[in-house]
Amino acid sequence: MGKFEIEGYAKRRVKCDIATIHVTFRAIGVNAAELSKKVMDECDDFIQKLSKLSIKPQNIQYASDRTSTNSYQNKTELEATREICIRMPFDLKVINHVQGALMHGKYNYTMYVDGDISNRHEVQHLSFFCNRE
């Protein structure tokens, strides 16, 4: 009698129910202190606008502050950045309002959104269980 060995692969789609919005404020110039103050002021102003969108302060986390030097064709510029993350239930209308507040504030920023699921440990456990059979 022959013996078969079978290896399988399973995939499961789940809907995102958590959004993490990453917002980085940027300023470019020659004075590090002025640039740092500018990104801090823009970030503080934006956080005040978030409270009007019913986003709770505990959902906003500080991520990083950086000052770097860029040199190109014998010209040196400084860049200051401040990044914050907003973790909240995934709601595209609220995400659009957050982006609208950024655009209307005329900040110099970048933004991206990561989707996540709140029951990741359950889904990973199920995936692991399926792979073992």
Side-chain angles (χ1 to χ4, degrees):
M1 187 183 279
K3 181 179 176 183
F4 287 101
E5 227 177 275
I6 300 173
E7 187 174 316
Y9 174 76
K11 193 174 191 179
R12 181 176 177 190
R13 289 183 185 251
V14 294
K15 286 189 175 186
C16 295
D17 62 344
I18 296 174
T20 303
I21 304 170
H22 302 264
V23 180
T24 304
F25 297 91
R26 300 183 181 294
I28 296 174
V30 294
N31 185 314
E34 289 175 4
L35 298 174
S36 293
K37 181 175 179 355
K38 181 176 170 100
V39 295
M40 286 181 358
D41 290 347
E42 285 186 0
C43 184
D44 289 344
D45 185 60
F46 175 65
I47 289 172
Q48 287 179 355
K49 290 181 181 185
L50 289 178
S51 66
K52 295 176 185 170
L53 296 174
S54 302
I55 295 176
K56 299 174 184 170
Q58 59 265 29
N59 293 347
I60 304 168
Q61 296 178 330
Y62 163 81
S64 68
D65 270 318
R66 291 194 177 111
T67 303
S68 60
T69 304
N70 299 321
S71 296
Y72 180 70
Q73 294 182 344
N74 295 329
K75 190 175 185 180
T76 301
E77 290 183 328
L78 297 174
E79 178 181 37
T81 61
R82 170 169 277 191
E83 182 182 357
I84 59 171
C85 299
I86 306 157
R87 191 167 168 87
M88 58 183 229
F90 197 101
D91 183 342
L92 195 54
K93 286 183 181 181
V94 176
I95 294 170
N96 288 344
H97 289 301
V98 169
Q99 188 165 15
L102 285 163
M103 290 186 312
H104 293 305
K106 297 184 180 175
Y107 308 116
N108 185 6
Y109 71 94
T110 58
M111 174 187 141
Y112 68 94
V113 180
D114 284 329
D116 202 357
I117 54 175
S118 57
N119 62 341
R120 179 175 291 281
H121 65 283
E122 294 170 20
V123 173
Q124 285 176 337
H125 174 71
L126 291 173
S127 297
F128 178 72
F129 182 74
C130 291
N131 288 337
R132 290 182 60 195
E133 292 187 338

